Amino acid sequence: MSDYAGPPIVVSAVTPGDPPFRIVQIRGMTAGTAHDMIDVIRLAHESGLTHVDLDDPSIVRWVGGGKYKWTP
């Protein structure tokens, strides 16, 4: 059992790159990088989360911009 508190999904601010990306953490552990919302959902599903409401702040915390922010 994890001691992680907070929303299970945290999406970091956009990191410049070609293409830009956001790091996704699931329950406090880095799950991977995302280039769009579909990647966030895929990473969540791969980590065992089945209900992923990207608009629910109790599920996802967006750092440095919301779900539509994918460029620096």
Side-chain angles (χ1 to χ4, degrees):
M1 175 167 280
S2 172
D3 291 332
Y4 179 76
I9 304 169
V10 177
V11 183
S12 71
V14 176
T15 299
D18 187 19
F21 62 93
R22 298 175 83 163
I23 295 172
V24 178
Q25 293 186 345
I26 309 286
R27 296 184 182 108
M29 302 292 292
T30 300
T33 59
H35 297 98
D36 56 34
M37 289 182 278
I38 300 301
D39 286 344
V40 175
I41 294 169
R42 177 184 52 78
L43 290 167
H45 286 180
E46 288 174 358
S47 296
L49 297 176
T50 55
H51 176 72
V52 182
D53 181 349
L54 298 180
D55 294 318
D56 185 344
S58 71
I59 303 294
V60 182
R61 181 166 70 102
W62 298 94
V63 178
K67 67 183 182 181
Y68 295 114
K69 174 77 173 161
W70 293 97
T71 56

